[in-house]
């Protein structure tokens, strides 16, 4: 736990590769598997980069949605209120796959971080 606390984030969020790998793995398990995508901000590294939002980016997320639907994977999203997370794009993941969206307040975030 000491090593965990000592680590400092670099701000990189590679949501695209993580999401794609998670949907692929969950789809290989069984229909009805769920992926829970947790993010505190924009995907800003690599595949699925959300800044800027382009048509190619929208196509990437549409393809992930289609893969999830084909494999029976539900995608839910947890993000923080007040953070820029491009919910207008990634919010379609739970909408189209029958998942849920949870926007956590900053107060709850501070409370949870105090547990570590």
């Amino acid at each position: 736990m000491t090593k965990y606390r000592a680590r400092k984030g670099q701000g990189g969020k590679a949501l695209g590769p993580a999401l794609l790998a998670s949907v692929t793995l969950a789809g290989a398990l069984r229909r009805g598997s769920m992926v829970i995508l947790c993010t505190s901000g924009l995907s800003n590294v690599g595949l699925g980069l959300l800044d800027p939002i382009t048509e190619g980016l929208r196509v990437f997320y549409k393809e992930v949605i289609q893969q999830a639907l084909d494999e029976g994977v539900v995608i839910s999203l947890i993000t923080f209120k007040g953070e820029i997370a491009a919910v207008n794009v990634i919010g379609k993941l739970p909408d189209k796959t029958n998942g849920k969206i949870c926007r956590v307040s900053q107060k709850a975030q501070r409370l949870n971080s105090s547990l570590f």
Side-chain angles (χ1 to χ4, degrees), residues 28-42:
L29 295 173
R30 64 179 162 81
R31 293 190 75 73
S33 293
M34 179 180 284
V35 168
I36 301 173
L37 178 64
C38 302
T39 183
S40 62
L42 286 175

Side-chain angles (χ1 to χ4, degrees), residues 2 14 27 46-47 54 60 65 70 75 83 89 93-94 102 104 112 115:
T2 304
L47 187 64
T54 64
F60 169 76
I65 289 167
D70 291 346
I75 303 171
E83 295 290 333
V89 175
L93 296 162
C102 178
V104 179
N112 288 336
L115 299 175

Side-chain angles (χ1 to χ4, degrees), residues 17-106:
L19 177 64
L20 185 57
S22 298
V23 168
T24 300
L25 288 170
L29 295 173
R30 64 179 162 81
R31 293 190 75 73
S33 293
M34 179 180 284
V35 168
I36 301 173
L37 178 64
C38 302
T39 183
S40 62
L42 286 175
S43 177
N44 58 5
V45 177
L47 187 64
L49 179 75
L50 286 166
D51 188 21
I53 296 173
T54 64
E55 188 55 34
L57 169 77
R58 292 178 199 280
V59 169
F60 169 76
Y61 285 100
K62 284 179 186 175
E63 289 175 356
V64 171
I65 289 167
Q66 190 58 54
Q67 180 179 344
L69 291 171
D70 291 346
E71 297 178 4
V73 175
V74 175
I75 303 171
S76 288
L77 172 65
I78 299 174
T79 188
F80 297 102
K81 290 180 183 173
E83 295 290 333
I84 300 170
V87 175
N88 60 326
V89 175
I90 62 174
K92 289 183 169 81
L93 296 162
D95 285 346
K96 302 290 186 184
T97 64
N98 217 16
K100 303 219 182 292
I101 299 175
C102 178
R103 305 281 316 261
V104 179
S105 72
Q106 294 294 333

